[in-house]
Amino acid sequence: MKKEDIRTIVATDCGSTTTKAILIEQQGEEFRLIARGEAPTTVEAPVEDVTKGVFNAINELEEIVGRKFTDGDTLLKPKKGSDGFDIYISTSSAGGGLQMMVAGVVKAMSAESAARAALGAGAIVMDTIASNDGRLPHQKIERIRKLRPDMILFSGGIDGGTTKHVVEIAQILAAADPKPRFGITFQLPVIYAGNKDARELVKELISKKVALTVTDNLRPVLERENLLPARHLIHDQFLEHVMQQAPGYKQLMAMTDYEIEPTPGAVGTIMQRIAREKKIQILGVDIGGATTDVFSVFQGIYNRTVSANFGMSYSISNTVSEAGLDNVMRWIPFDMNEKDLMNRVKNKMIRPTSIPQLMEELIFEQAVAREALRLSLIQHKEMAVSLKGVQKERTMSDIFSQSSDSSLVNMTTLNMIIGSGGVLSHSPRRHQAAIMMIDAFLPEGVTQLTVDSIFMMPQLGVLTNFHPEAAAQVFEKDCLIYLGTCVAPIGAEKDGKKCLEFKISMPDGKVIQDELTFGDIRVYPLGVGQVAKLYAKPAKNLDLGAGPGISIEDTLYGGVVGIIFDTRGRRPFKLPENKSERVAKMQRWLSSMNAYPNY
Amino acid sequence: MGQAYVPGLKVSERQIVHKERVLPLKGEIKVKIGDKVKASDVVAATNLPGNVELINVVNKLAITPAELGSCMLAREGDIISKGQMLAQSKGFFGYFKSSCQSPVSGTVENISSITGQVVLREPPIPVEVHAYVDGIVEEIHKDVGVTIKLQAAFVQGVFGIGGEVVGEISMISRGLEDEIVAREILPEHAGKIIVGGSFIVADALKKAVDTGVKGIIVGGIDAKDLRDFLGYDIGVAITGSEEMGLTMILTEGFGKINMAKKTYDLLSKHNGKQASINGATQIRAGVIRPEIIIPLKNIEEDKIKEAEIRKDVGLTPGKLVRIIREPDFGAVVKVKSLPVTLMKLESETMVRVVEVEHPDGSVRVVPRANIEIIES
């Protein structure tokens, strides 16, 4: 169909937990979002077919608008009368997070490097196989077969060193003859990043059994680690190979009018567009059920990381485990029974599509989300260094250390945070999304906050590729929700001590002049589309981006929440150790934010 | 209308089950198509290469890798026994010699003058694959394994730990709301699969291991008790290789939750019969749920018919569903109606809901995402 004839578009995003459908239609001169439907992603028996979830989500659209878009198991295209639609497009991350096995010759060396490469690429490392891991070969073989990893990365030996042990690992892989978890027509991707002299031997052994790709050695010499080539290859393989193996993916490909894009890729397209058009530095996040994807554009350089182990459903238990229950609990403004909490986390893990019905369950999930976001940002900051192309030198003495170089991600120069994903887009109150992002990312200085209205950035990302006007119109009018601007000084002061004097020139000419004490959150209303001028002078120990005690002038953008002054401190940001004191403060801050009905 | 639901877990009185039994390496198939097999029968076997033992001989002898060759007493390809001297240093004028003994019996596979390591290979290890279920050999996968077909009662759990075990079902609780407590686990439960109602307490789990219980099927367990039992926390639900001395299957979830009546009644009906259970769980796209297979006896082979594949997987009034989230987590209720309009929950979330009728006749509203159909 010609672009100018397109009037009605249905777009879906098949997530690991839910499939989201949106209906976009031309109304007068512009395209607008008309309706949104959602259904669980269907990758579990008895309906192991991702297209079933797609039809279920589109059926929801039919119910909402009272028109027909499907006829049994076919899509009604093109539009005839009031029924049907012109174009169907989709994004997908239905395969869930990337789950890898890694292998190396020596557990504490090449196998450890392989694990680090996989973790840095956003994978969950299911197991690490090494020649000296104490297991018998058949136990390793059984383990590889039983775990059904999405991908295997194996390494071993320095360039020019012995090839024998690497070959031994390859023999184990060949014996395991590992199969991918979806379908038998695909071959399991295996990346070899070991001794370059062993490449041909490895190829000979396993290239017929698996989809083998070869890249630079993770450890070309003993003292140096070179993880970047393997990490990039893992990303590419995941997006192009693993994801396509979700049950029913081929049928989905046949249904769409344009190529299916991986969800993170499509979201990245939108993020880059915002940064380019607004000429700003942005930090974006898409928090899903299995993974949290972080995007950033700093100094014009775009980076994306997929933290496959931090999500809100499939990997919620991992998120809590990695963050520590105490770190999750610190965001909860009341006392909760630890045993009960652990049960709730595990129940969400085993039934990932369920949603919080009670307020306390919502508050708990939003506490977990803060930690998933915080941890994902840490991973992103570490990766954003590597992606510059700087090779990380590691010496024998810091094999076990995790030191990080200075990252491209600079929270002080950051202009805008964009939140997306179920827990942010579907927060019953937008104020919750704002405080979750502030708590997790701790923006410094003056930062604008936005959120994807109903989690449709992936669909708009793919729409951008063939109908940029429609994508732009829907994006501006229906997608991005402006929450407001956060003003947060860096540094610490005594609680209750005066820390900031400010003056806001409001759009109606009024001037708000006030001062703030340390350890507080205060919100001033400034509506969507409104712009105000800020003049602020921090106390001598505090910094708003210009230096300690130095005044700043900046622009404040309004939103559904308004202007949020956060004087709780940065570098470090500290919550009270004492439980009752912490709970009291959380209640006060959440009340200032109007986050929940009781606080 | 109403397709947006969570797929349910299977609780089937009778269905055809196909079990694939596969060797870790190519080997010999011990049965032929049509053979009747018992769960304990060996259906395929192979010899796996022995374990590899790496010994850093140069470190042990305090010599350089270049000197290794002249100090080695065994050569590549030699068969050696445990404790046999592999290498000896020349010492100081023939005195103060250091030696290195073989920690295992096997073959000397490689002597490296670059790394100074000696690789020993232990003898091949015979591995056998058992049928796991009583049934009929349906298909042979050349050199790799077989598929066994049987008619069975089949139950899917929601989460489990541990691998395949076969044992007699022993109902030890009096009702689906009963907890399994330590004092009820008796010596006669050794080698059996015990079935409880709503919950197992931590000390009962330990007692079960000590008693030699093979398997536990129960409604729920506290996540904290499971973590303490395993010694680590489960981050993502990928299980099956735990070696804790037993296999455990949860039918409902974490916490104290009554076992669904349908599941409890089915297991009660087969009390004393043999069951094959596997706790392996993988919750991600391409889900694997733990399974309970109870072979049904006295069924003629030619009478086995494939169970009809259910196409009606939608949610309709009258259907039994389980609530899978607080409040009322675990309750089995009947669908009353499926309102189309979105409704606001206590959490202020606007969602599509289902109206359900509880056994006491009360009618409540639950998000559609928070129920699962009890499949049959």
Side-chain angles (χ1 to χ4, degrees), chain B residues 128-320:
Chain B
E128 293 176 332
V129 170
H130 294 86
Y132 170 56
V133 288
D134 291 357
I136 294 161
V137 178
E138 180 188 31
E139 200 181 342
I140 302 283
H141 311 288
K142 194 173 178 296
D143 302 332
V144 176
V146 301
T147 300
I148 297 164
K149 178 179 173 181
L150 72 154
Q151 188 159 201
F154 183 79
V155 179
Q156 280 182 315
V158 71
F159 179 80
I161 57 159
E164 295 172 345
V165 293
V166 180
E168 185 188 303
I169 291 179
S170 178
M171 303 296 293
I172 69 163
S173 62
R174 286 165 299 280
L176 49 88
E177 67 287 340
D178 266 10
E179 294 181 15
I180 301 178
V181 291
R183 67 171 184 280
E184 287 171 344
I185 299 171
L186 306 171
E188 64 250 37
H189 291 124
K192 292 186 178 171
I193 296 165
I194 59 171
V195 180
S198 59
F199 189 66
I200 183 161
V201 295
D203 61 343
L205 194 53
K206 189 177 174 302
K207 175 90 178 283
V209 174
D210 295 343
T211 309
V213 167
K214 271 190 173 175
I216 298 170
I217 303 168
V218 69
I221 187 173
D222 271 337
K224 185 180 178 303
D225 290 344
L226 181 66
R227 185 190 64 187
D228 293 346
F229 179 63
L230 292 172
Y232 59 89
D233 199 19
I234 290 174
V236 285
I238 298 171
T239 65
S241 59
E242 299 75 20
E243 289 178 358
M244 306 305 297
L246 52 71
T247 288
M248 179 167 64
I249 295 176
L250 306 181
T251 60
E252 313 303 315
F254 288 89
K256 187 180 174 190
I257 320 155
N258 292 352
M259 187 180 283
K261 189 170 184 305
K262 194 172 172 186
T263 311
Y264 188 81
D265 289 349
L266 186 109
L267 294 172
S268 299
K269 188 176 151 189
H270 294 289
N271 189 22
K273 290 184 187 162
Q274 178 189 296
S276 304
I277 68 168
N278 186 356
T281 310
Q282 293 191 11
I283 299 170
R284 49 181 181 166
V287 173
I288 293 176
R289 296 280 184 184
E291 62 185 14
I292 303 159
I293 302 168
I294 307 165
L296 299 175
K297 309 233 178 209
N298 305 321
I299 303 292
E300 293 297 320
E301 187 195 337
D302 58 1
K303 285 186 183 165
I304 296 178
K305 287 181 184 168
E306 294 290 335
E308 260 185 55
I309 297 165
R310 277 164 34 80
K311 288 184 179 162
D312 168 31
V313 291
L315 197 59
T316 48
K319 219 159 227 183
L320 274 186

Side-chain angles (χ1 to χ4, degrees), chain A residues 555-577:
Chain A
T555 306
L556 301 175
Y557 296 93
V560 292
V561 179
I563 309 305
I564 305 154
F565 284 93
D566 176 2
T567 60
R568 296 176 298 169
R570 300 287 190 271
R571 306 189 212 168
F573 167 82
K574 270 188 182 168
L575 289 171
E577 303 265 325

